[in-house]
Amino acid sequence: MPISKELVDIPLVPGDWDYIEEGIENVIVSYHGNDPELQGWVLRLTKCDVGADADVDSHEASLFRNKELQRKQDALEFAANIVSPIVGDEYVLPQRLVTVTSEFLLQVRKNIESRRPKNRLAKYIDSRQSASMLTREMISRTPANDKGRHSVTVELKPKCMTLPRSEFAAPESSVKHRVCWFCMNQYILHKDGNVSKFCPLELFSGDRDRIAISLDHFAQLPHNNFVIFVDGRSVVDDQGEISDKCVPHWDLLRDTVADIVQKEELFSRLQLIQRELDSFNIESVLPKYQHALETGVLTTEEPGIGAWLEAYAEFRRRLDSGSIDKSMVSDCQAVLELILATTLRDVSVLIKFDNWPARSVTDTGSLDYSQYTIGVVDHDPKKLSNIPKYHRLDRDIVATYLRHNPDEADQRPCREE
């Protein structure tokens, strides 16, 4: 089934849905009931701050539901008409909208509470939403009576796949041309100095050995950018790492994923579009965003799908013409291109193996483990209202990195080639 923004009404039973994972904006629950129409699908349930959906009058709630429905329909059009042409239709998972009731949402919220990470409890499932996205399942459980195999899913976030080439970076930020955003950000994430050796530029270098080594580095300090699910549950060992202790045949999985990263066109397409969209830097876009708000070109409302389609078409026209003159690019266009680039940096890639050999299987050739499904998720457009926050974060990342590495000789450069 392709992407569809038509709203369908399917009876949903709260007890049929089980917690899988969550991000900043959504909780993901998978279906384990008996309805064939829902089997193999997951629900993406929007979150809100705890208490934000309480004591809301009916008029306000109705306005919210209508606005949320439009936002989700726009997100589906964004996926179909912008993300699909960029990464390829074959990598965008089928999605559709289904009606949900507040009673269903409140009960699911209650059912999954004990499964949620403590650091996520400041938000919960928003009971005001009237529609949620159904997406093809990529994280699932193997039947308990099947002892010889597991369902294994690898989730990785590509993040920055290139070094920025924008000429708009301030001289004091020139380190961004040598060290990627991910590597610098480690010094904010890990204040104890235990920074990851992983660099996304190594993972997407195209060199098979460098890719495998980078996966090992990723596994040593996975954070939330590299997650492995075994039979629907995310796993790490007692050291907080991904290893053979928690993943059956980890070395084999690492090598198999390295082969996939090297050969799948998805990754080279994402890398190419990042280079092409890297015309502007957040340092130059913030004043453009502020000017666009002051002049009324942009408002505090998020852009609709029409504005996104127009901006993407303009970007493609400029790219196809070979124009490198940025002076003719409007403030609005520069802002939307930056948000599109940020959206594509934050997608997640899921690689699912349905026949991964169990630990007890010593002859791994007895299962066709190398068969996999791959898809991209988390590609809803980022919010323009986040631009000031992105600017502050960018400034903090650079300042923190330089505080730990003041001398250029001590700065480990990231390699693209």
Side-chain angles (χ1 to χ4, degrees), residues 234 244 261:
S234 62
D244 206 52
V261 171

Side-chain angles (χ1 to χ4, degrees), residues 60 75 133 194 205 231 252 288 293 306 312 332 367 373 380 383:
E60 185 180 344
M133 287 190 193
N194 183 29
S205 64
D231 295 331
L252 179 63
K288 293 177 183 292
L293 287 176
Y312 180 63
C332 181
L367 286 173
T373 307
D380 295 355
K383 294 179 180 178

Side-chain angles (χ1 to χ4, degrees), residues 107-152:
Q107 189 59 52
V108 171
R109 187 162 85 189
K110 180 180 178 181
N111 292 350
I112 69 171
E113 195 69 14
S114 63
R115 293 282 311 281
R116 299 181 60 208
K118 289 182 180 179
N119 66 326
R120 296 290 192 184
L121 297 182
K123 290 188 174 187
Y124 59 21
I125 294 171
D126 193 335
S127 64
R128 295 170 294 178
Q129 59 196 298
S130 61
S132 293
M133 287 190 193
L134 277 171
T135 304
R136 180 61 69 190
E137 182 180 61
M138 288 288 285
I139 301 170
S140 59
R141 292 177 290 188
T142 303
N145 59 357
D146 193 338
K147 304 297 184 184
R149 67 183 178 94
H150 296 285
S151 174
V152 172

Side-chain angles (χ1 to χ4, degrees), residues 48-56 106 109 124-128:
C48 68
D49 291 337
V50 169
D53 58 346
D55 301 323
V56 179
L106 289 168
R109 187 162 85 189
Y124 59 21
I125 294 171
D126 193 335
S127 64
R128 295 170 294 178

Side-chain angles (χ1 to χ4, degrees), residues 325-378:
D325 183 5
K326 309 298 188 303
S327 62
M328 301 301 292
V329 177
S330 70
D331 291 345
C332 181
Q333 182 69 23
V335 168
L336 291 177
E337 286 188 22
L338 176 82
I339 293 296
L340 178 56
T342 304
T343 299
L344 293 172
R345 273 197 294 270
D346 274 357
V347 300
S348 290
V349 178
L350 298 176
I351 306 170
K352 181 185 179 187
F353 303 90
D354 285 322
N355 291 300
W356 194 254
R359 202 179 306 277
S360 59
V361 176
T362 54
D363 178 14
T364 55
S366 62
L367 286 173
D368 191 6
Y369 66 85
S370 61
Q371 293 298 309
Y372 64 91
T373 307
I374 184 170
V376 175
V377 296
D378 299 336

Side-chain angles (χ1 to χ4, degrees), residues 250-288:
W250 159 245
D251 288 348
L252 179 63
L253 181 61
R254 177 204 58 210
D255 291 343
T256 304
V257 171
D259 291 337
I260 292 169
V261 171
Q262 185 180 41
K263 75 179 183 181
E264 285 287 351
E265 292 186 11
L266 166 64
F267 299 103
S268 58
R269 290 170 185 171
L270 281 171
Q271 192 174 45
L272 179 62
I273 198 69
Q274 280 195 18
R275 281 201 190 98
E276 292 171 342
L277 280 168
D278 190 27
S279 300
F280 301 96
N281 187 282
I282 185 62
E283 296 170 66
S284 69
V285 168
L286 178 64
K288 293 177 183 292

Side-chain angles (χ1 to χ4, degrees), residues 164-191:
R165 288 172 167 77
S166 172
E167 68 269 29
F168 297 108
E172 60 270 21
S173 302
S174 62
V175 65
K176 290 193 284 189
H177 295 296
R178 300 187 300 275
V179 183
C180 77
W181 183 93
F182 182 93
C183 290
M184 286 195 290
N185 193 35
Q186 293 298 299
Y187 289 86
I188 284 185
L189 294 176
H190 305 288
K191 301 186 188 305

